[in-house]
Amino acid sequence: MEFALFCTKVNILILILALCSPCKFIQSPMDFGPSNLLETKSSASLDFGRIVFNSPSAVLRPQSPRDISLLLTFLSASSFSKVTVAARGAGHSIYGQAQALDGIVIEMDSILSDIYIHKKRDDESGFSYADVGGGALWVELLEESLKHGLAPRSWTDYLYLSIGGTLSNGGISGQTFKYGPQISNVLQLDVVTGKGDLITCSPTSNSELFYAVLGGLGQFGIITRARILLQDAPQKVKWIRAFYDDFDTFTGDQELLVSMPELVDYVEGFIVPNEQSLLSTSVAFPAHLGFMPEFHHVSSAKVYYCIEFAVHDFQAEGTSAEQVSSSLVVEKISKQMSYMPSLMYSVEVSYFDFLNRVRMEEMNLRSRGLWEIPHPWLNMFVPKSGIKEFNDLLLENISPNDFEGPILIYPLLRDKWDANTSVPLPDAPTGGDGVEQVLYIVGMLRSANPASCAAGCLDDILRRNRQIAEAASAGRIGGKQYLAHHPSLLHWRDHFGRHWNRFAARKNLFDPLGVLAPGQGIFPREHASSL
């Protein structure tokens, strides 16, 4: 053990000296002895977005959080260097956020993660929870927790993302209105700060670091372990889709659904701009849709909208008939909704299959060669008062006939977000009823198929995304990017608004030399000379 630790220290020291050398003599590929802790890989300059490709000088595949701590301790003591470090989970970033140009990428999946499940006894106070490594995937946590009849409360739509990755951003899906984002469902974290300190933190211990890291875009520390709140998992889920041809009716019904958390467990929705969109979003939905809309009118293109909601079913075979079935709950809810006549569809699936629904869409796209292509995505938080204008803005700036990819739109509730975390929400408008609690998340999850969208086309999409984001961030709409990508420090200051001073102070406290997460483009490496 002591010899292995010594070798790790020597390897890291050699790496740092090499990266700081004017000759920069270590190049890809490289190997440092039998431990093979340090090597370069082409995947470190690649992410899901396939838009930005920044190559690091080295990749660290740590065997434990201590390896990460050693690396960052060396770097924090090397103020003459401008070497930066990025933690890479599942590589699902869009704009190179987990890349480190000429720096070091830490591949978090190399740390073996034993998932520990604590199931609260009936006579015990407290909560059920899971302790899980930051590099583990949410689908792995789901599979393990279900063995105990438990599951996390809050999810992302796609489960093949790392625990540390989504907690560094927010983590949202259709359960967010009810339980808040994933960052609102964490009890404790183990974090390596930019100074190399390995710290356990929680809302009551080292709380400033705890809240800074949650939604902190990797700027303050690297999450190596998280304690995630769990709840009883249902056996099945009643999964419903309803269609609309009017935006106000669509959003009105969504807001109705999120006002009934005692009945509804999941609410999302999406725009249906064309026939291909309808087909692709129906891949995972195991029911025949009799919906055959007319997308083309004489004067203009017609778009439709779909609400997707779910009700958990805890009934197992042989349970008491006194329990209210999910079918009766859905019937009660649907009577209050105003969807297009006869255009509501319902299926019953296992809880795992429902949560893992996007995997089927992924497999479909992979089979058609449409998964590993550029994804110029744009995600926006939009206050309720600005959502109709934002929808008009969006439709003015896309071509509904040939848009490829889902356009998600669904409501969240502001009071489910902890203001102590680092995620900036749009400022809350006030009205006759006080602060506006409802805000929307809109995700333009566009794909750019190289067969039909060459480099010039991709650049045009990115330009239009910027135009939409800039227009939505100003004036009456008052939106703010989620999973943000900004070109300058000034833009980042505007993004954080009144929270900027707190964000900058946390950076100075936990990563004063600006070592971490250079791909975000927020803080430069301080006290640096050129390599």
Side-chain angles (χ1 to χ4, degrees):
M1 174 70 77
E2 292 299 324
F3 178 73
L5 180 60
F6 171 75
C7 290
T8 299
K9 288 182 176 180
V10 170
N11 286 343
I12 291 176
L13 180 57
I14 292 172
L15 173 70
I16 302 307
L17 291 174
L19 291 176
C20 297
S21 166
C23 300
K24 200 178 176 186
F25 58 86
I26 290 187
Q27 300 292 337
S28 168
M30 56 188 182
D31 181 279
F32 287 86
S35 62
N36 198 31
L37 289 175
L38 300 165
E39 58 180 12
T40 58
K41 291 176 64 177
S42 59
S43 62
S45 61
L46 187 68
D47 61 21
F48 184 69
R50 282 174 165 75
I51 295 168
V52 177
F53 305 91
N54 288 324
S55 296
S57 289
V59 173
L60 175 64
R61 291 187 58 78
Q63 303 303 296
S64 71
R66 182 147 190 190
D67 291 345
I68 301 172
S69 176
L70 284 170
L71 171 64
L72 292 174
T73 299
F74 275 120
L75 284 175
S76 66
S78 306
S79 59
F80 60 88
S81 162
K82 68 173 185 180
V83 176
T84 55
V85 174
R88 186 180 193 274
H92 210 77
S93 299
I94 300 300
Y95 295 104
Q97 288 94 332
Q99 298 173 18
L101 179 63
D102 296 329
I104 303 169
V105 168
I106 300 175
E107 295 198 334
M108 297 298 294
D109 63 350
S110 65
I111 301 178
L112 296 178
S113 177
D114 294 328
I115 300 174
Y116 168 74
I117 304 295
H118 170 75
K119 185 169 185 176
K120 186 182 78 68
R121 301 187 307 271
D122 291 340
D123 61 347
E124 181 185 6
S125 62
F127 306 95
S128 296
Y129 62 81
D131 283 335
V132 58
L137 303 181
W138 283 97
V139 69
E140 296 171 340
L141 175 54
L142 174 61
E143 290 170 338
E144 186 62 29
S145 62
L146 284 178
K147 295 176 184 177
H148 302 265
L150 300 169
R153 305 194 308 174
S154 187
W155 294 95
T156 53
D157 288 334
Y158 184 61
L159 301 185
Y160 294 77
L161 306 175
S162 70
I163 304 289
T166 67
L167 295 183
S168 296
N169 287 280
I172 59 177
S173 185
Q175 301 87 2
T176 303
F177 83 94
K178 186 168 184 172
Y179 297 113
Q182 289 178 322
I183 59 173
S184 293
N185 292 271
V186 182
L187 301 175
Q188 189 182 88
L189 296 170
D190 286 349
V191 176
V192 182
T193 70
K195 297 188 289 187
D197 300 324
L198 182 53
I199 299 174
T200 298
C201 53
S202 71
T204 58
S205 175
N206 299 303
S207 59
E208 187 69 19
L209 177 62
F210 178 78
Y211 290 119
V213 168
L214 293 173
L217 306 178
Q219 294 299 307
F220 313 110
I222 295 172
I223 298 171
T224 59
R225 181 161 288 272
R227 178 165 291 177
I228 306 297
L229 187 63
L230 302 179
Q231 67 176 0
D232 290 338
Q235 286 76 33
K236 295 181 179 180
V237 172
K238 186 71 75 172
W239 183 7
I240 300 95
R241 285 184 172 180
F243 289 90
Y244 298 77
D245 59 1
D246 177 76
F247 184 74
D248 289 338
T249 308
F250 164 70
T251 55
D253 273 3
Q254 284 191 315
E255 290 170 23
L256 170 69
L257 291 170
V258 302
S259 73
M260 298 187 288
E262 72 283 0
L263 298 177
V264 181
D265 296 290
Y266 163 99
V267 178
E268 286 197 13
F270 52 90
I271 300 175
V272 186
N274 54 55
E275 185 174 357
Q276 180 57 43
S277 173
L278 179 62
L279 293 174
S280 62
T281 53
S282 301
V283 168
F285 192 72
H288 173 70
L289 298 182
F291 182 39
M292 294 180 290
E294 181 180 339
F295 288 102
H296 303 286
H297 286 198
V298 175
S299 58
S300 63
K302 175 70 174 176
V303 300
Y304 296 85
Y305 305 91
C306 178
I307 286 180
E308 181 174 79
F309 73 98
V311 174
H312 291 173
D313 190 344
F314 287 90
Q315 283 191 311
E317 292 184 13
T319 55
S320 170
E322 294 178 0
Q323 288 184 291
V324 179
S325 73
S326 59
S327 296
L328 292 177
V329 173
V330 171
E331 182 180 353
K332 178 180 179 180
I333 294 169
S334 64
K335 289 179 179 178
Q336 303 176 59
M337 299 173 65
S338 302
Y339 51 89
M340 296 170 69
S342 303
L343 292 181
M344 175 177 278
Y345 304 89
S346 175
V347 294
E348 189 174 74
V349 297
S350 73
Y351 185 54
F352 179 87
D353 286 346
F354 173 72
L355 291 177
N356 200 35
R357 60 197 178 278
V358 177
R359 183 66 163 180
M360 187 177 296
E361 296 178 22
E362 176 193 349
M363 293 299 99
N364 176 265
L365 291 170
R366 284 188 181 278
S367 69
R368 297 159 54 202
L370 296 177
W371 184 255
E372 296 177 348
I373 61 175
H375 295 92
W377 288 6
L378 174 65
N379 294 275
M380 299 285 301
F381 290 123
V382 182
K384 171 184 173 179
S385 56
I387 191 60
K388 182 174 177 59
E389 186 172 345
F390 181 85
N391 182 65
D392 294 339
L393 172 68
L394 189 155
L395 294 177
E396 288 169 4
N397 281 275
I398 67 171
S399 174
N401 292 336
D402 56 12
F403 188 93
E404 293 189 47
I407 306 175
L408 304 180
I409 178 168
Y410 56 92
L412 314 172
L413 298 180
R414 191 179 296 274
D415 60 5
K416 297 297 182 179
W417 294 71
D418 193 322
N420 292 306
T421 66
S422 291
V423 176
L425 296 178
D427 288 334
T430 57
D433 297 326
V435 174
E436 188 176 273
Q437 283 296 326
V438 174
L439 69 156
Y440 280 79
I441 180 69
V442 182
M444 295 175 57
L445 310 186
R446 191 165 195 165
S447 300
N449 184 355
S452 57
C453 183
C457 166
L458 178 59
D459 289 341
D460 183 63
I461 292 174
L462 293 172
R463 178 182 58 80
R464 287 179 178 270
N465 281 356
R466 289 192 295 270
Q467 290 177 343
I468 293 171
E470 289 172 3
S473 300
R476 296 186 302 272
I477 296 178
K480 193 177 291 289
Q481 284 191 54
Y482 172 61
L483 307 176
H485 173 64
H486 291 297
S488 71
L489 178 60
L490 180 61
H491 286 82
W492 279 109
R493 284 178 176 271
D494 289 342
H495 173 77
F496 284 100
R498 58 191 174 88
H499 300 295
W500 170 255
N501 288 340
R502 183 184 69 177
F503 194 81
R506 286 172 167 176
K507 184 69 170 180
N508 189 56
L509 184 62
F510 300 116
D511 184 28
L513 297 182
V515 174
L516 294 175
Q520 297 283 0
I522 305 175
F523 297 101
R525 176 73 153 101
E526 296 293 341
H527 313 301
S529 59
S530 59
L531 292 178

